[in-house]
Amino acid sequence: MVNWLAEMVEEVQERFPRSTAARRAVIEAVLGKEGHFSAEEMCQEMRGVGRATVYRTLAALQEQGLVCRVLLEDGELRYRRSPESHHHHVVCVVCGQVQDITGCGVDDFVQAIAARFGYSVAGHRLEIYGRCGRCKSL
Ligand SMILES: [Zn+2]
Ligand SMILES: [Zn+2]
Ligand SMILES: [Zn+2]
């Protein structure tokens, strides 16, 4: 395992006291992933680890802001290592590449819409779909 990953797994592990070896294995696999993946794919990769453990660990990592979810154009929800707490994504509809967009930029808009309908905001999601630089010219 590369160093930064080992250190990160160690650090993350400390946030989950009484962590089992199975959970540790899931944390390691998730944080080591470059691209996005579905919970189902992670279950298949983690042979010998119960599905409930995989799902619970993903949920816990998401709660900690270490993993985010990307909504693909076809409605599929994928998981991904998260660089920071609140952010948005640009998704290429051809090759599936995902880019994180740091900073929000739509907060005022969201607040205004919520106020208009008498809502208090619990959260929002914004994904931008398009063709990436490489796929644009195909
Ligand atoms: Zn993200
Ligand atoms: Zn692309
Ligand atoms: Zn936002």
Side-chain angles (χ1 to χ4, degrees):
M1 208 191 327
V2 284
N3 256 346
W4 68 263
L5 181 55
E7 275 168 33
M8 193 163 178
V9 170
E10 212 48 61
E11 197 194 303
V12 168
Q13 189 77 4
E14 281 167 20
R15 302 193 206 182
F16 302 109
R18 298 197 307 273
S19 224
T20 59
R23 174 166 257 196
R24 193 197 160 89
V26 178
I27 291 172
E28 206 174 294
V30 168
L31 296 180
K33 275 243 180 301
E34 277 300 327
H36 49 74
F37 56 90
S38 67
E40 205 44 52
E41 279 168 12
M42 190 47 73
C43 285
Q44 267 154 35
E45 193 174 310
M46 295 275 98
R47 277 187 300 261
V49 175
R51 300 170 58 84
T53 301
V54 173
Y55 276 87
R56 268 203 304 268
T57 305
L58 279 173
L61 287 170
Q62 197 196 326
E63 215 166 90
Q64 298 268 342
L66 295 156
V67 159
C68 63
R69 290 190 298 183
V70 184
L71 185 64
L72 299 186
E73 203 199 20
D74 63 6
E76 208 196 325
L77 212 45
R78 318 268 299 178
Y79 290 86
R80 187 168 196 267
R81 196 169 66 210
S82 182
E84 57 172 296
S85 45
H86 179 76
H87 61 281
H88 299 282
H89 303 111
V90 191
V91 183
C92 177
V93 297
V94 180
C95 70
Q97 176 182 264
V98 175
Q99 211 76 49
D100 293 295
I101 314 164
T102 56
C104 181
V106 296
D107 234 5
D108 289 348
F109 172 73
V110 170
Q111 293 297 343
I113 297 290
R116 192 198 299 170
F117 294 99
Y119 275 62
S120 70
V121 178
H124 69 263
R125 176 195 294 280
L126 171 69
E127 321 282 42
I128 298 168
Y129 304 106
R131 287 162 177 259
C132 75
R134 262 181 313 167
C135 296
K136 211 162 49 181
S137 51
L138 290 180

